């Protein structure tokens, strides 16, 4: 059980730093973000300093206020299954021109040759 504590600390600090950076990029004070997210400025301070592991409601409120997605906040800690990655790649490729698909295919072949 004690093995999870460093992971919790890492998660809290990483998400806190992302929220801090997103807030500063939008030039929001903590008070403005607090108003937009329906959270207190003090709570946001604690989050940004990695003192809390957030639950669903604060994540949703902060994502809406910062115009971001939970995926961007949590991406460092979520692994995507291979099948889902392949489906996403296929979807994205279907939106590209033939020329761009050929470029990507060449890049994939180069990456495979380096493995």
């Amino acid at each position: 059980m004690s093995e999870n504590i460093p992971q919790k600390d890492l998660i809290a600090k990483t998400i806190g730093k992302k929220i801090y950076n997103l807030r500063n990029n939008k030039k929001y004070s903590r008070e403005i973000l607090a108003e937009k997210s329906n959270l207190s400025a003090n709570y946001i301070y604690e989050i940004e300093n990695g003192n809390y592991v957030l639950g669903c409601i604060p994540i949703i409120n902060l994502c809406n206020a910062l115009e971001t997605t939970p995926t961007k906040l949590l991406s460092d800690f979520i692994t995507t299954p291979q099948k889902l990655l392949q489906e996403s790649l296929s979807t994205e490729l279907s939106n590209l021109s033939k020329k761009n698909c050929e470029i990507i295919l060449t890049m994939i072949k180069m990456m495979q040759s380096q493995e």
Side-chain angles (χ1 to χ4, degrees), residues 3 7 13-14 26 30 32-33 42 57 60 62 67 85 99 101 108 112:
E3 295 173 12
Q7 181 73 3
K13 290 188 183 309
T14 302
K26 290 204 161 285
R30 281 193 191 95
I32 290 172
L33 181 56
N42 187 50
I57 301 303
I60 291 167
L62 287 164
E67 299 174 337
L85 286 172
K99 180 180 178 180
C101 286
I108 290 171
Q112 287 172 332

Side-chain angles (χ1 to χ4, degrees), residues 80-88:
T80 306
Q82 182 75 13
K83 183 176 180 179
L84 185 57
L85 286 172
Q86 290 170 342
E87 289 171 1
S88 295

Side-chain angles (χ1 to χ4, degrees), residues 6-89:
Q7 181 73 3
K8 281 185 177 182
D9 288 346
L10 178 62
I11 290 169
K13 290 188 183 309
T14 302
I15 292 173
K17 185 175 183 179
K18 286 183 179 187
I19 290 169
Y20 174 83
N21 289 335
L22 287 164
R23 178 176 65 79
N24 282 321
N25 288 343
K26 290 204 161 285
K27 299 186 182 350
Y28 289 170
S29 66
R30 281 193 191 95
E31 291 74 20
I32 290 172
L33 181 56
E35 185 177 314
K36 290 180 173 288
S37 65
N38 202 27
L39 302 170
S40 74
N42 187 50
Y43 185 51
I44 291 169
Y45 171 82
E46 295 293 335
I47 291 167
E48 290 179 345
N49 284 288
N51 296 328
Y52 291 111
V53 176
L54 296 173
C56 293
I57 301 303
I59 287 175
I60 291 167
N61 290 351
L62 287 164
C63 285
N64 286 333
L66 293 167
E67 299 174 337
T68 191
T69 63
T71 301
K72 288 186 181 177
L73 289 181
L74 305 173
S75 63
D76 294 337
F77 304 101
I78 296 174
T79 57
T80 306
Q82 182 75 13
K83 183 176 180 179
L84 185 57
L85 286 172
Q86 290 170 342
E87 289 171 1
S88 295
L89 184 57

